[in-house]
Amino acid sequence: MREFLLTVFSLSTLQGAVRAGTPLLLGTLGEVYAERSGVLNLGVEGMMIMGSVTAFGVAYTTGNIWLAILLAALAGGLLALIHAFTSITLRVNQVVSGLAITMLGLGVSGILGKRYIGQPPGVRLGAINIPVLSDLPIIGPLFFRYDPMVYISILLVVVLWFVLYRTRWGLSLRSVGESPATADALGVNVVRVRYLAVFFGGMMAGVGGAYLSVVYAPAWIEGMTAGAGWIVIALTIFAMWDPVRALLGAYLFGGVRVLQYRLQDLGVSPPLLNMLPFIFTILVLWMSAGEAMRKHIGAPAALMQPYVREERG
Amino acid sequence: MADNVVTMRSIVKRFPGVLANDHVDFEARAGEIHALLGENGAGKTTLMNILYGIYQPDEGEIIIRGSPVTIPSPREAIKLGIGMVHQHFRLVETHTVAENIVLGLPGNFFNPARAARSKIREFSERYNLTVDPDARIWQLSAGEQQRVEVIKALYRGADILILDEPTSMLTPGEAEELFAVLRRMASEGKTIIFITHKLDEVMSISDRVTVLRQGRVEATLETAHTSKRELARLMVGREVLFRVERKDMPPGEEVLRIEDLHVLNDKGLPAVKGVSLSVARGEIVGIAGVAGNGQRELVEALVGLRRAEGGRVSVNGREITNQPPKVVIEHGVCYVPGERLTGLVPEMSVAENLILKGYRHQRFCRGPFLDARAIYEHADALIEQYCIMTPSRDTPLKLLSGGNIQRVVLARETCESPDVLIAAHPTSGLDVGAIEYIWQLLLAERERGMAILLVSEDLEEVLALSDRIAVMFEGEFMGVVPAHEVDLEEIGLMMAGAHRRPLDSSSPERGTPPVREVSA
């Protein structure tokens, strides 16, 4: 038991949790924005894996890591535009459209990625040691020895929280997700806000996928997201559509992912460990449902509701 | 012509299968309160939605302050100084008052709501529209929410203000306050367009009135030169009786008895807090109150659709508390739900809807199969008896008008002569003619000895039909009083939360609530 606890709370587990949690955080931040606008995007898994394959391919060919991440964002964003078109313009069922896009992304990435299987990455994004601070005992390795994407994602949490709650854009976004008819009556362009939110969500999913293939792994393996996109969707609920809670949730899940490997050394059966993230997902959804009830926080009221103006109500 | 601020000429608007506006002409002047009167479906709201840019007219032109305009969206309407307060408020419930008011406006990019608060306070004081800019919408009463809507329009510089059925969610007292605000605004030269189907409101607030019927303008009149009777005739297209015959008859023995009932709402908070009441054979007991004061939860608990946390409900002396609906039905309770379509299947035919409750009976079955002939005979008989206007018994229910849909519900529920009828808002959304019919039907059932519990937000309806009236406020009865002993004003006070010492203290066994001092 002591050994178990030591493993769970070891420095390297905590460090690993942050690194494994970062792609989840990136994806969740995007999905929070998409759902805040009233569009459920179940295509996150597909957008993430498209990000992974794009980033790996670009890094492999050009050797430019930032170009790789940028193009991965675009790949995720483009896939998200398909979802935006079907669910916002055509008003097709958002669940069906999202599932289709996940399958599309998994399939296309498999074809595109064939030639990269087993290849070494052209370039990888390593950790940066922040001078002085990174040499502090415990605090140093825990906070100041990560790759730049970890810090960028934390910065994004702050920026996205501020935009959501403290700016006119955020007010429009939240209103569109809560009551599109109200927003429309006040001159907010509901369709534009939703398109932008879904596009942004797709870009973030793409970046999350890129993190996996050019920073975390770094390698291309078919189906390498391995359900991360689905965990993102559960995390969005756990986060109650709030960027700061998304950070906590993502690192928590990152920790579970890391333990999946660490506990194997202690003789816990691998199939059980493979189930761990998903068992944890169910538990978390169950608990957050209770908390949401108590705090009167719910999903955006217009989530999954297509908006049509000229309809007799 | 020169002082017409709004001119709409020959407006045509078609919806699939409906001509909502048929060459409508409408004008409103600066400084007037102009009522737009008509029954449901007459095209009032459609016309104003066109003026506010929500709908596009198929034909016709709009002239604002002398210049022809097209209004492709609410944004353009707002630029033209037009504001609209919708019947169902367009507010984001989880946001604050200030956030709702500044939504969609240019202005500070950072913290847009905070910057607006002082201006909101200014409007509040100037028009006596008290509201806290930092309160969240869901915490506010309907009256307060409406103030937010009015401020929202003023904040956008509206000098043409459209209000769609603004009093439907208000107590009589709140309505008076609103009227005072509107008069003040008109006296400052603003144009107020007031959509309503209530004749009393037209008479008390408007300077002029335009009457719409079936998408066409019947007349535009000076309010001072017309009468309720004339307006009713224009609105309905025939003479309307304002009184229904209600026979005086002594109530019979007690049928429905409610003792100290406690019920929770959907959020798990107490909605009905220890309510007691009894309804006797041949008696209509009306429950008045502003929507959301526990009426829905009370009714649902009575018919077995919601758990009672405490207390007892019995029918003819037999307890039915927390029994499933089937058992409640077997005890002779029938139910007309407040939302009409919750009691019906819109896609199914009239005949099928009429046996939704009785299909288990032997008379509609042959072994495991339904007996089509018995079902059709049953449908034909009810269609005739209840004067249901339907092309055929096989017509999908959703194609019928609201009044006829309600007749189908009432036919199904009352045809087996049950002992108790629980009717929630039986005439909401119906036109005057259909209301008259439903009222007569309820009174006829009363004379046949049914015990009727009538929940309604329409005070006139409660006063016209009830033997006794219970006024519900925040889950409690403010008093249970004989209908002939109270007037509109007194009920209005009770709806706003004032207790009344019950006058029928001669019958404490009827379960009137404990006497309390008047607190307001």
XYZ file of all heavy atoms in Angstrom, chain B residues 44-129:
684
model
N -51.657 39.955 -34.813
C -51.092 41.128 -34.118
C -49.581 40.991 -33.953
O -48.818 41.885 -34.315
C -51.685 41.267 -32.691
C -53.174 41.212 -32.611
C -53.629 41.180 -31.149
C -53.153 39.957 -30.400
N -54.016 38.888 -30.095
N -49.174 39.860 -33.379
C -47.753 39.677 -33.094
C -46.955 39.590 -34.390
O -45.863 40.136 -34.485
C -47.553 38.413 -32.242
O -48.331 38.553 -31.049
C -46.108 38.232 -31.857
N -47.522 38.925 -35.389
C -46.843 38.837 -36.680
C -46.569 40.228 -37.230
O -45.460 40.537 -37.671
C -47.710 38.042 -37.681
O -47.992 36.771 -37.126
C -46.993 37.880 -38.998
N -47.577 41.092 -37.176
C -47.427 42.443 -37.710
C -46.299 43.182 -36.989
O -45.461 43.836 -37.610
C -48.749 43.203 -37.548
C -48.788 44.594 -38.182
C -48.744 44.494 -39.693
C -50.014 45.367 -37.728
N -46.264 43.051 -35.677
C -45.250 43.767 -34.913
C -43.869 43.121 -35.075
O -42.856 43.803 -35.050
C -45.642 43.836 -33.439
C -46.776 44.799 -33.183
S -46.374 46.493 -33.738
C -47.530 46.714 -35.061
N -43.833 41.800 -35.259
C -42.554 41.150 -35.541
C -41.990 41.631 -36.876
O -40.783 41.678 -37.067
C -42.709 39.624 -35.552
C -42.629 39.026 -34.149
O -42.131 39.676 -33.232
N -43.115 37.820 -33.998
N -42.877 41.988 -37.795
C -42.418 42.552 -39.072
C -41.823 43.937 -38.825
O -40.749 44.268 -39.321
C -43.593 42.620 -40.081
C -43.949 41.202 -40.536
C -43.230 43.513 -41.256
C -45.210 41.113 -41.357
N -42.508 44.732 -38.006
C -42.003 46.075 -37.711
C -40.654 45.996 -36.996
O -39.800 46.862 -37.153
C -43.023 46.828 -36.843
C -42.694 48.289 -36.499
C -42.496 49.118 -37.754
C -43.792 48.897 -35.634
N -40.457 44.928 -36.216
C -39.212 44.797 -35.455
C -38.145 44.004 -36.223
O -37.089 43.706 -35.693
C -39.508 44.127 -34.105
C -38.370 44.242 -33.110
C -37.885 45.486 -32.723
C -37.760 43.111 -32.575
C -36.829 45.599 -31.835
C -36.706 43.215 -31.679
C -36.251 44.465 -31.316
O -35.199 44.584 -30.444
N -38.455 43.645 -37.473
C -37.425 43.014 -38.292
C -37.234 41.526 -38.066
O -36.302 40.932 -38.597
N -38.101 40.909 -37.267
C -37.950 39.471 -37.020
C -38.499 38.689 -38.216
O -37.924 37.700 -38.637
C -38.649 39.076 -35.704
C -37.882 39.687 -34.536
C -38.722 37.558 -35.559
C -38.522 39.476 -33.196
N -39.617 39.155 -38.743
C -40.154 38.571 -39.980
C -40.012 39.578 -41.108
O -39.999 40.786 -40.875
C -41.651 38.253 -39.837
C -41.999 37.191 -38.841
C -43.245 37.205 -38.221
C -41.124 36.158 -38.529
C -43.598 36.229 -37.302
C -41.471 35.182 -37.620
C -42.710 35.223 -37.009
O -43.063 34.251 -36.113
N -39.930 39.065 -42.344
C -39.939 39.934 -43.509
C -41.325 39.879 -44.143
O -41.867 38.797 -44.333
C -38.887 39.472 -44.522
C -37.476 39.464 -43.966
C -37.142 40.756 -43.259
O -37.329 41.843 -43.802
N -36.672 40.669 -42.014
N -41.900 41.037 -44.473
C -43.221 40.999 -45.114
C -43.094 40.480 -46.540
O -42.073 40.685 -47.198
C -43.649 42.473 -45.104
C -42.378 43.247 -45.045
C -41.400 42.402 -44.290
N -44.153 39.787 -47.010
C -44.146 39.336 -48.395
C -44.505 40.488 -49.332
O -44.080 40.521 -50.476
C -45.141 38.178 -48.574
C -44.697 36.960 -47.768
O -43.485 36.714 -47.694
O -45.563 36.270 -47.193
N -45.351 41.393 -48.822
C -45.708 42.575 -49.608
C -45.884 43.734 -48.643
O -46.027 43.534 -47.449
C -47.064 42.374 -50.325
C -47.036 41.403 -51.477
C -48.458 41.123 -51.969
O -49.279 42.059 -51.984
O -48.733 39.963 -52.307
N -45.950 44.954 -49.212
C -46.256 46.122 -48.395
C -45.034 46.955 -48.090
O -43.905 46.561 -48.364
N -45.289 48.149 -47.519
C -44.162 49.028 -47.217
C -44.280 49.580 -45.799
O -45.366 49.685 -45.227
C -44.053 50.157 -48.241
C -45.271 51.045 -48.309
C -45.034 52.243 -49.228
O -43.864 52.552 -49.506
O -46.032 52.859 -49.648
N -43.124 49.940 -45.268
C -43.054 50.492 -43.926
C -42.423 51.873 -44.023
O -41.380 52.039 -44.678
C -42.203 49.592 -43.005
C -42.780 48.166 -42.977
C -42.128 50.169 -41.600
C -41.894 47.169 -42.243
N -43.065 52.837 -43.381
C -42.531 54.196 -43.393
C -42.324 54.628 -41.949
O -43.256 54.588 -41.136
C -43.505 55.156 -44.105
C -43.672 54.718 -45.566
C -42.994 56.595 -44.025
C -44.961 55.158 -46.187
N -41.100 54.985 -41.605
C -40.798 55.431 -40.256
C -40.405 56.902 -40.329
O -39.462 57.261 -41.033
C -39.639 54.619 -39.634
C -39.949 53.127 -39.639
C -39.315 55.109 -38.226
C -40.998 52.673 -38.678
N -41.106 57.740 -39.593
C -40.876 59.194 -39.572
C -40.735 59.752 -40.979
O -39.813 60.512 -41.279
C -39.616 59.519 -38.764
C -39.774 59.213 -37.290
C -38.539 59.555 -36.493
N -38.484 58.689 -35.320
C -37.852 57.527 -35.283
N -37.189 57.100 -36.333
N -37.892 56.795 -34.188
N -41.631 59.336 -41.852
C -41.678 59.933 -43.181
C -40.799 59.288 -44.231
O -40.961 59.560 -45.414
N -39.850 58.418 -43.835
C -39.045 57.812 -44.894
C -39.298 56.317 -44.998
O -39.357 55.625 -43.979
C -37.552 58.082 -44.682
O -37.312 58.436 -43.353
N -39.439 55.827 -46.232
C -39.660 54.390 -46.419
C -38.410 53.627 -45.998
O -37.297 54.059 -46.263
C -39.866 54.246 -47.935
C -40.001 55.640 -48.465
C -39.375 56.570 -47.488
N -38.618 52.499 -45.325
C -37.485 51.721 -44.838
C -37.727 50.246 -45.097
O -38.864 49.824 -45.285
C -37.281 51.890 -43.308
C -36.813 53.291 -42.985
C -38.555 51.557 -42.542
N -36.636 49.470 -45.140
C -36.777 48.023 -45.005
C -36.071 47.661 -43.705
O -35.060 48.273 -43.349
C -36.114 47.255 -46.164
O -34.770 47.709 -46.261
C -36.822 47.481 -47.460
N -36.648 46.699 -43.009
C -36.099 46.326 -41.704
C -35.731 44.849 -41.748
O -36.520 43.986 -41.395
C -37.122 46.619 -40.584
C -37.622 48.066 -40.706
C -36.495 46.390 -39.218
C -38.684 48.447 -39.717
N -34.511 44.550 -42.213
C -34.143 43.146 -42.410
C -33.858 42.399 -41.118
O -33.872 41.171 -41.108
C -32.877 43.217 -43.273
C -32.320 44.566 -43.008
C -33.457 45.467 -42.693
N -33.588 43.108 -40.029
C -33.279 42.398 -38.788
C -33.555 43.330 -37.616
O -33.680 44.544 -37.783
C -31.816 41.967 -38.760
O -31.014 43.098 -38.511
N -33.648 42.750 -36.402
C -33.872 43.584 -35.220
C -32.812 44.674 -35.077
O -33.103 45.763 -34.591
C -33.790 42.584 -34.067
C -34.206 41.291 -34.658
C -33.676 41.322 -36.055
N -31.612 44.371 -35.539
C -30.539 45.360 -35.440
C -30.928 46.655 -36.153
O -30.715 47.756 -35.647
C -29.284 44.746 -36.055
C -28.140 45.693 -36.128
C -26.872 44.928 -36.418
N -26.110 44.893 -35.191
C -24.934 44.302 -35.041
N -24.416 43.646 -36.017
N -24.307 44.337 -33.910
N -31.520 46.521 -37.371
C -31.955 47.705 -38.113
C -33.086 48.403 -37.373
O -33.162 49.619 -37.325
C -32.433 47.302 -39.517
C -31.384 46.597 -40.339
C -30.110 47.405 -40.470
O -30.186 48.606 -40.780
O -29.028 46.830 -40.229
N -34.003 47.582 -36.799
C -35.132 48.153 -36.069
C -34.624 48.997 -34.911
O -35.113 50.121 -34.673
C -36.048 47.034 -35.565
N -33.634 48.473 -34.194
C -33.092 49.198 -33.051
C -32.491 50.524 -33.523
O -32.683 51.569 -32.910
C -32.039 48.327 -32.326
C -32.720 47.118 -31.680
C -31.288 49.138 -31.280
C -31.757 46.020 -31.253
N -31.791 50.492 -34.678
C -31.213 51.723 -35.223
C -32.287 52.754 -35.535
O -32.055 53.954 -35.442
C -30.439 51.407 -36.506
C -29.032 50.906 -36.239
C -28.230 50.875 -37.531
C -26.995 50.005 -37.368
N -26.698 49.245 -38.590
N -33.470 52.273 -35.932
C -34.567 53.181 -36.250
C -35.309 53.638 -34.997
O -36.333 54.303 -35.078
C -35.559 52.486 -37.203
C -35.043 52.243 -38.622
C -35.930 51.243 -39.352
C -34.996 53.565 -39.382
N -34.835 53.253 -33.828
C -35.467 53.687 -32.590
C -36.676 52.851 -32.206
O -37.562 53.307 -31.486
N -36.725 51.600 -32.699
C -37.852 50.734 -32.361
C -37.403 49.732 -31.295
O -36.338 49.125 -31.415
C -38.347 49.961 -33.607
C -38.752 50.963 -34.698
C -39.512 49.051 -33.259
C -39.020 50.305 -36.039
N -38.186 49.586 -30.252
C -37.894 48.589 -29.220
C -39.095 47.674 -29.059
O -40.225 48.085 -29.307
N -38.852 46.427 -28.689
C -39.980 45.506 -28.526
C -39.810 44.686 -27.258
O -38.736 44.150 -27.001
C -40.084 44.575 -29.740
C -41.268 43.633 -29.685
S -41.692 43.025 -31.335
C -43.062 41.926 -30.956
N -40.874 44.612 -26.492
C -40.906 43.743 -25.320
C -41.793 42.560 -25.679
O -42.996 42.707 -25.856
C -41.465 44.483 -24.087
C -41.575 43.531 -22.909
C -40.582 45.674 -23.740
N -41.156 41.385 -25.834
C -41.908 40.216 -26.279
C -42.746 39.648 -25.153
O -42.427 39.824 -23.982
C -40.946 39.139 -26.800
C -40.146 39.599 -27.979
N -40.551 39.398 -29.270
C -38.982 40.277 -28.050
C -39.659 39.922 -30.091
N -38.695 40.456 -29.371
N -43.776 38.920 -25.530
C -44.652 38.309 -24.529
C -43.864 37.352 -23.647
O -43.974 37.370 -22.430
C -45.790 37.566 -25.228
C -46.786 36.995 -24.250
C -47.922 36.306 -24.971
O -47.899 36.142 -26.191
N -48.912 35.880 -24.222
N -43.085 36.489 -24.306
C -42.180 35.640 -23.551
C -40.859 36.367 -23.556
O -40.270 36.564 -24.606
C -42.066 34.265 -24.200
C -43.406 33.617 -24.335
N -44.100 33.136 -23.251
C -44.208 33.454 -25.402
C -45.256 32.666 -23.662
N -45.356 32.849 -24.962
N -40.425 36.787 -22.389
C -39.308 37.708 -22.314
C -38.092 37.142 -23.008
O -37.791 35.966 -22.919
C -38.976 38.022 -20.858
C -40.129 38.612 -20.115
C -40.378 38.261 -18.808
C -40.975 39.524 -20.736
C -41.453 38.791 -18.125
C -42.047 40.068 -20.055
C -42.291 39.691 -18.742
N -37.392 38.029 -23.703
C -36.154 37.628 -24.355
C -35.003 38.032 -23.438
O -34.364 39.048 -23.635
C -36.031 38.328 -25.719
C -37.117 37.944 -26.703
C -36.765 36.633 -27.377
N -37.876 36.111 -28.155
C -38.077 36.362 -29.442
N -37.264 37.146 -30.083
N -39.083 35.824 -30.080
N -34.798 37.226 -22.422
C -33.740 37.511 -21.468
C -32.926 36.243 -21.266
O -33.470 35.148 -21.312
C -34.329 37.946 -20.124
C -35.099 39.272 -20.143
C -35.867 39.457 -18.843
C -34.156 40.433 -20.360
N -31.632 36.417 -21.035
C -30.790 35.268 -20.733
C -30.859 35.051 -19.224
O -30.351 35.860 -18.444
C -29.340 35.507 -21.188
C -28.510 34.256 -20.946
C -29.305 35.896 -22.652
N -31.510 33.977 -18.827
C -31.851 33.752 -17.419
C -30.655 33.730 -16.475
O -30.753 34.174 -15.341
C -32.566 32.410 -17.285
C -33.917 32.377 -17.953
C -34.987 32.046 -16.959
O -34.731 31.178 -16.103
O -36.058 32.669 -17.017
N -29.540 33.179 -16.957
C -28.406 33.006 -16.056
C -27.525 34.258 -15.992
O -26.577 34.290 -15.236
C -27.535 31.819 -16.510
O -27.307 31.958 -17.911
C -28.215 30.502 -16.259
N -27.831 35.264 -16.788
C -27.004 36.466 -16.791
C -27.605 37.546 -15.892
O -28.770 37.486 -15.526
C -26.860 37.004 -18.217
C -26.041 36.110 -19.091
N -25.726 36.414 -20.384
C -25.473 34.911 -18.852
C -24.997 35.451 -20.916
N -24.844 34.514 -20.012
N -26.781 38.556 -15.595
C -27.295 39.641 -14.758
C -28.145 40.599 -15.597
O -28.134 40.560 -16.823
C -26.156 40.457 -14.127
O -25.451 41.129 -15.174
C -25.191 39.572 -13.346
N -28.840 41.457 -14.865
C -29.668 42.471 -15.511
C -28.810 43.325 -16.443
O -29.143 43.531 -17.613
C -30.337 43.344 -14.429
C -30.978 44.580 -15.037
C -31.357 42.524 -13.652
N -27.676 43.815 -15.924
C -26.822 44.695 -16.725
C -26.293 43.973 -17.960
O -26.268 44.529 -19.056
C -25.663 45.210 -15.873
N -25.909 42.713 -17.797
C -25.401 41.957 -18.950
C -26.464 41.826 -20.028
O -26.199 41.941 -21.215
C -24.931 40.562 -18.513
C -23.592 40.554 -17.810
C -23.162 39.166 -17.372
O -24.023 38.335 -17.027
O -21.959 38.907 -17.365
N -27.697 41.587 -19.593
C -28.780 41.478 -20.555
C -29.014 42.790 -21.282
O -29.348 42.804 -22.458
C -30.074 41.055 -19.849
C -30.241 39.556 -19.836
O -30.638 38.968 -20.830
N -29.920 38.931 -18.716
N -28.860 43.884 -20.560
C -29.169 45.178 -21.165
C -28.113 45.577 -22.198
O -28.437 46.122 -23.244
C -29.353 46.242 -20.061
C -30.685 45.960 -19.342
C -29.334 47.649 -20.638
C -30.906 46.761 -18.104
N -26.837 45.272 -21.928
C -25.808 45.721 -22.873
C -25.530 44.714 -23.981
O -24.779 45.015 -24.903
C -24.467 46.028 -22.163
C -24.665 47.113 -21.141
C -23.892 44.778 -21.526
N -26.137 43.543 -23.905
C -25.860 42.507 -24.902
C -26.069 43.038 -26.322
O -27.103 43.622 -26.620
C -26.773 41.298 -24.665
C -26.705 40.179 -25.702
C -25.312 39.592 -25.763
C -27.708 39.102 -25.383
N -25.087 42.829 -27.163
C -25.220 43.190 -28.569
C -24.919 44.641 -28.874
O -24.959 45.052 -30.023
N -24.620 45.433 -27.856
C -24.352 46.851 -28.095
C -22.860 47.098 -28.250
O -22.043 46.435 -27.618
C -24.845 47.675 -26.904
C -26.342 47.855 -26.776
C -26.646 48.667 -25.534
C -26.890 48.547 -28.004
N -22.508 48.099 -29.065
C -21.111 48.530 -29.049
C -20.869 49.228 -27.719
O -21.806 49.530 -27.000
C -21.034 49.524 -30.203
C -22.415 50.008 -30.389
C -23.327 48.896 -29.965
N -19.658 49.501 -27.386
C -19.388 50.120 -26.096
C -18.105 49.549 -25.582
O -17.282 49.090 -26.367
N -17.934 49.549 -24.296
C -16.684 49.035 -23.742
C -16.481 47.590 -24.145
O -17.396 46.784 -24.024
C -16.719 49.094 -22.216
C -16.665 50.514 -21.732
O -17.000 51.428 -22.489
N -16.263 50.701 -20.507
N -15.278 47.265 -24.592
C -15.011 45.872 -24.915
C -14.813 45.081 -23.632
O -15.325 43.981 -23.469
C -13.753 45.767 -25.782
C -13.440 44.353 -26.155
C -14.207 43.701 -27.118
C -12.421 43.651 -25.541
C -13.949 42.385 -27.454
C -12.156 42.335 -25.876
C -12.919 41.703 -26.840
N -14.086 45.667 -22.683
C -13.865 44.976 -21.413
C -14.965 45.346 -20.428
O -15.366 46.496 -20.332
C -12.494 45.355 -20.836
C -11.376 44.888 -21.708
C -10.549 45.786 -22.344
C -11.174 43.528 -21.935
C -9.520 45.350 -23.167
C -10.154 43.090 -22.754
C -9.328 44.006 -23.376
N -15.440 44.355 -19.712
C -16.471 44.583 -18.706
C -17.620 45.460 -19.169
O -17.916 46.486 -18.573
C -15.837 45.222 -17.469
C -15.461 44.153 -16.480
O -16.111 43.101 -16.439
N -14.442 44.393 -15.691
N -18.264 45.086 -20.266
C -19.306 45.954 -20.812
C -20.438 46.210 -19.814
O -21.006 47.296 -19.794
C -19.813 45.182 -22.027
C -19.395 43.773 -21.793
C -18.136 43.828 -21.002
N -20.736 45.212 -18.974
C -21.885 45.369 -18.082
C -21.603 46.390 -16.990
O -22.454 47.210 -16.650
C -22.252 44.020 -17.464
N -20.366 46.367 -16.454
C -20.085 47.262 -15.338
C -20.232 48.720 -15.748
O -20.798 49.533 -15.043
C -18.668 46.999 -14.814
C -18.392 47.813 -13.569
C -17.031 47.490 -13.005
N -16.922 46.081 -12.633
C -15.774 45.529 -12.238
N -14.683 46.247 -12.188
N -15.735 44.266 -11.895
N -19.746 49.020 -16.962
C -19.770 50.396 -17.423
C -21.192 50.926 -17.575
O -21.432 52.128 -17.511
C -19.032 50.490 -18.755
N -22.153 50.005 -17.765
C -23.512 50.447 -18.077
C -24.356 50.709 -16.842
O -25.440 51.260 -16.937
C -24.196 49.387 -18.939
N -23.829 50.334 -15.681
C -24.721 50.324 -14.522
C -25.283 51.683 -14.144
O -26.439 51.797 -13.764
C -24.004 49.692 -13.324
C -23.873 48.205 -13.515
C -23.563 47.496 -12.242
N -22.516 48.180 -11.503
C -21.603 47.562 -10.775
N -21.611 46.264 -10.711
N -20.709 48.227 -10.114
N -24.465 52.722 -14.263
C -24.961 54.026 -13.823
C -26.084 54.503 -14.748
O -27.073 55.071 -14.304
C -23.827 55.044 -13.772
O -23.292 55.205 -15.057
N -25.929 54.216 -16.043
C -26.968 54.630 -16.978
C -28.265 53.851 -16.716
O -29.367 54.399 -16.846
C -26.481 54.399 -18.405
C -27.214 55.244 -19.430
C -26.516 55.200 -20.774
C -27.478 55.569 -21.893
N -26.960 55.206 -23.209
N -28.112 52.580 -16.343
C -29.295 51.774 -16.029
C -30.008 52.373 -14.821
O -31.236 52.528 -14.816
C -28.888 50.311 -15.767
C -28.363 49.682 -17.046
C -30.058 49.519 -15.216
C -27.723 48.323 -16.859
N -29.235 52.754 -13.802
C -29.840 53.360 -12.609
C -30.593 54.630 -12.967
O -31.656 54.910 -12.428
C -28.759 53.681 -11.582
C -28.141 52.436 -10.982
C -27.985 52.539 -9.465
N -27.602 51.243 -8.936
C -26.337 50.780 -8.979
N -25.375 51.513 -9.510
N -26.059 49.587 -8.481
N -30.012 55.409 -13.909
C -30.648 56.656 -14.320
C -32.041 56.381 -14.906
O -33.020 57.015 -14.517
C -29.739 57.278 -15.374
C -29.921 58.746 -15.627
C -28.968 59.145 -16.761
O -27.741 58.980 -16.575
O -29.456 59.567 -17.822
N -32.120 55.405 -15.819
C -33.426 55.059 -16.402
C -34.371 54.550 -15.322
O -35.554 54.872 -15.317
C -33.265 53.994 -17.482
C -32.825 54.540 -18.803
C -31.639 54.134 -19.375
C -33.609 55.459 -19.480
C -31.226 54.632 -20.595
C -33.208 55.969 -20.701
C -32.002 55.559 -21.266
N -33.831 53.732 -14.417
C -34.656 53.190 -13.344
C -35.341 54.310 -12.583
O -36.537 54.267 -12.314
C -33.802 52.402 -12.354
O -33.346 51.239 -12.926
N -34.550 55.328 -12.241
C -35.119 56.398 -11.423
C -36.077 57.260 -12.223
O -37.152 57.610 -11.756
C -33.990 57.264 -10.848
C -33.410 56.659 -9.585
C -32.065 57.246 -9.233
O -31.847 58.450 -9.521
O -31.225 56.504 -8.684
N -35.705 57.559 -13.448
C -36.506 58.472 -14.239
C -37.903 57.908 -14.486
O -38.892 58.631 -14.428
C -35.802 58.702 -15.571
C -36.534 59.639 -16.474
C -35.567 60.347 -17.403
N -36.256 60.725 -18.612
C -35.715 60.645 -19.823
N -34.484 60.175 -19.948
N -36.383 61.015 -20.871
N -38.005 56.606 -14.743
C -39.305 56.033 -15.063
C -39.866 55.183 -13.925
O -40.833 54.463 -14.108
C -39.204 55.187 -16.332
C -38.936 56.006 -17.555
C -37.678 56.052 -18.113
C -39.962 56.769 -18.129
C -37.421 56.819 -19.228
C -39.715 57.538 -19.241
C -38.440 57.562 -19.788
O -38.190 58.329 -20.896
N -39.202 55.253 -12.780
C -39.680 54.469 -11.657
C -39.684 52.969 -11.976
O -40.647 52.256 -11.684
C -41.082 54.951 -11.259
C -41.425 54.549 -9.844
O -40.535 54.190 -9.076
N -42.694 54.593 -9.511
N -38.637 52.519 -12.634
C -38.516 51.096 -12.987
C -37.437 50.490 -12.097
O -36.307 50.275 -12.520
C -38.111 50.963 -14.456
C -39.137 51.366 -15.501
C -38.456 51.646 -16.830
C -40.189 50.293 -15.675
